[in-house]
Amino acid sequence: MNIQKSESLYQEALDVIVGGVNSPSRSFRAVGGGAPIFMKKAKGAYFWDEDGNRYIDYLAAFGPIILGHAHPAVHEAIVEASMNGVLYGTPTEKEVRFAQMLREAIPSMEQIRFVNSGTEAVMTTIRLARAYTGRDKILKFAGCYHGHSDLVLVAAGSGPSTLGIPDSAGIPQSIAQEVITIPYNDINALEEALNHWGNQIAAVLVEPLVGNFGIVPPVPGFLEKVNELVHQAGGLVIYDEVITGFRFHYGGIQTIFGVEPDLTALGKIIGGGLPIGAYGGRKEIMDKVAPMGPMYQAGTMAGNPLSISAGMACLQALSKPGLYEELSRKGKRLADAIVKLADEYRLSVTVNQYGGALTVYFTDQPVVDYASAQATDGERFAQFFRLMLEQGIYLAPSKYEAWFITTAHSEQDVDETIRAVDHAFSQMSNKR
Ligand code: PMP
């Protein structure tokens, strides 16, 4: 495959943009290094790079692009909104309507505030939980990524782990020591941590279904137990649904499993591809937020007409009956086919699939927490990633990421992907 233009752009990028990329998860370091592919345009399920190669896109921009690229309804909403000015710094009716839409879908978000990214949304829920409880400590699960604010970069997942660093420089020890990290899906560890620090913990931060060391669902009863134990200890439960919100259902994991947190953070899909975040929860807690209460949070771009319009158009399209069932069916078809091929080629592969998202791990063990995800074979993944890329299938460049099926992926796209997996596995194995 000719990627000459990507290679030369990468050289120029390295000179002026640190690392050549504007987010480390876009670099190809975790898959053997070299130039990442520079994309030129995207439509539906496809990307075209600067050299004219076409790819079926399973990255979906790390989650937001659930309707595929340049979806007509989202495109129209952005164009129309832009004609009326892109930023007012005043409230608008659309913000009200969009907040109402979100609350209808996720009733635990009794009151909502829009921000500009998932990072901001999570960061603010933590400050709010601290303001509400008067406590400082935060409990989180190892490997879960919650954005790049100081507190949550302690034992975070996809961002840093993509680069193989479990932590970040520049985070004061005084902040890191406020964060307790325990393994996901481990109730005993939660009980132990709460026995020890229970009366100092402001909140437990949970990905109610993990998307950041691959797709890892909660074991049965886990979310219920988290709520019970944390509430007993007087802390709040925060769900980070930045990846999971509107990904598997018109609502969140909380509306699928019927377990409600005190606060929720959203991002990604609710912006239809434009920058957005939102947080919300019980009114009594949200009343602490300025200008109602003493917890300060603000944003020049927050609730801007373009992001809100794109988000509304995206959610309207997602409310179509049967849409999520269709994504799930395709996700399962792809996952089943990969498992079957791995079996035929006698490769050690575990596929975690939930709805229209899946992760292909090179291991013969189940992946239920960060330690089991870390133990999977990164070199095998890198080999697989390259073999898929050469055949025009674009996966996230990390063994910890998900493949996302979008409404734009056709049955033929899935068939083409399965054929590419067949070829990749055949190269990786000499047994049939
Ligand atoms: N929380 C989760 C669960 C995420 O996956 C991400 C991004 N991958 C974030 C928070 C941060 O969102 P953003 O990149 O929009 O700041």
Side-chain angles (χ1 to χ4, degrees):
M1 189 172 42
N2 173 19
I3 56 159
Q4 248 176 327
K5 281 199 184 155
S6 282
E7 277 165 351
S8 79
L9 279 168
Y10 184 50
Q11 289 313 313
E12 284 192 72
L14 281 172
D15 181 48
V16 69
I17 295 173
V18 59
V21 287
N22 280 308
S23 190
S25 50
R26 298 175 196 173
S27 97
F28 276 14
R29 282 199 177 199
V31 287
I37 308 297
F38 281 62
M39 294 304 170
K40 187 166 187 174
K41 63 175 185 178
K43 175 80 189 154
Y46 310 117
F47 273 146
W48 286 265
D49 72 11
E50 287 287 346
D51 292 281
N53 302 300
R54 192 206 77 169
Y55 306 83
I56 301 178
D57 172 22
Y58 287 99
L59 181 69
F62 292 92
I65 305 298
I66 189 168
L67 297 171
H69 296 281
H71 185 276
V74 177
H75 171 238
E76 268 167 40
I78 295 171
V79 170
E80 202 188 304
S82 72
M83 291 193 291
N84 292 320
V86 295
L87 192 63
Y88 306 151
T90 72
T92 61
E93 178 179 353
K94 271 194 186 152
E95 291 165 273
V96 184
R97 301 287 165 243
F98 195 35
Q100 287 166 337
M101 265 175 103
L102 291 180
R103 183 171 66 183
E104 211 168 297
I106 306 181
S108 77
M109 299 179 82
E110 289 175 9
Q111 290 228 305
I112 291 168
R113 174 70 59 83
F114 291 110
V115 290
N116 299 303
S117 66
T119 295
E120 272 185 67
V122 176
M123 180 180 83
T124 314
T125 59
I126 293 173
R127 184 180 303 147
L128 182 53
R130 287 168 143 182
Y132 181 79
T133 60
R135 299 171 173 187
D136 286 344
K137 289 208 185 317
I138 296 296
L139 192 75
K140 70 180 284 292
F141 296 97
C144 289
Y145 178 70
H146 300 288
H148 67 273
S149 71
D150 280 1
L151 261 175
V152 292
L153 269 187
V154 180
S158 74
S161 58
T162 301
L163 297 176
I165 26 180
D167 213 330
S168 165
I171 294 177
Q173 192 50 40
S174 58
I175 286 181
Q177 76 191 23
E178 301 297 351
V179 186
I180 301 144
T181 305
I182 58 173
Y184 194 74
N185 274 334
D186 186 341
I187 288 294
N188 290 336
L190 179 66
E191 275 174 342
E192 254 174 56
L194 289 171
N195 281 340
H196 203 88
W197 290 287
N199 62 359
Q200 299 172 55
I201 288 175
V204 58
L205 188 52
V206 192
E207 277 188 89
L209 181 145
V210 178
N212 277 299
F213 41 84
I215 294 297
V216 177
V219 294
F222 180 66
L223 297 177
E224 289 82 352
K225 203 72 188 166
V226 167
N227 261 21
E228 181 193 320
L229 295 175
V230 175
H231 286 152
Q232 254 169 28
L236 299 184
V237 175
I238 302 171
Y239 276 8
D240 178 347
E241 297 230 40
V242 169
I243 279 201
T244 55
F246 297 90
R247 159 61 50 197
F248 302 107
H249 165 76
Y250 189 85
I253 290 294
Q254 57 189 277
T255 41
I256 298 177
F257 285 63
V259 187
E260 287 194 343
D262 301 291
L263 292 169
T264 298
L266 296 175
K268 301 212 182 210
I269 286 174
I270 65 156
L274 291 197
I276 203 165
Y279 69 93
R282 284 214 314 278
K283 180 171 182 325
E284 163 214 2
I285 306 172
M286 293 298 285
D287 273 344
K288 299 278 179 214
V289 179
M292 299 298 289
M295 193 220 74
Y296 195 72
Q297 173 271 313
T300 302
M301 309 287 172
N304 74 77
L306 291 196
S307 296
I308 297 286
S309 301
M312 276 176 101
C314 178
L315 261 50
Q316 263 151 12
L318 289 173
S319 66
K320 191 175 128 205
L323 180 143
Y324 287 98
E325 288 76 5
E326 186 64 19
L327 291 176
S328 280
R329 200 185 50 67
K330 285 187 185 137
K332 182 154 183 354
R333 183 156 93 81
L334 190 50
D336 287 350
I338 295 171
V339 168
K340 186 160 169 280
L341 286 167
D343 205 42
E344 282 173 26
Y345 287 108
R346 308 219 175 107
L347 291 171
S348 294
V349 167
T350 293
V351 180
N352 282 9
Q353 172 251 337
Y354 188 84
L358 54 130
T359 303
V360 177
Y361 300 100
F362 289 87
T363 177
D364 54 7
Q365 298 298 309
V367 177
V368 296
D369 58 16
Y370 190 39
S372 44
Q374 280 180 304
T376 66
D377 192 330
E379 274 174 33
R380 290 299 258 173
F381 175 81
Q383 199 185 353
F384 177 66
F385 170 85
R386 297 282 176 183
L387 286 163
M388 294 298 279
L389 191 70
E390 279 166 20
Q391 298 177 86
I393 312 289
Y394 197 95
L395 307 177
S398 158
K399 69 172 188 171
Y400 293 105
E401 298 285 351
W403 308 28
F404 292 116
I405 315 274
T406 73
T407 58
H409 286 96
S410 66
E411 299 295 345
Q412 289 78 357
D413 293 328
V414 175
D415 288 338
E416 188 179 332
T417 308
I418 294 169
R419 281 195 300 274
V421 173
D422 190 336
H423 176 74
F425 282 0
S426 78
Q427 300 293 297
M428 295 171 76
S429 154
N430 39 29
K431 294 185 217 119
R432 176 95 166 156

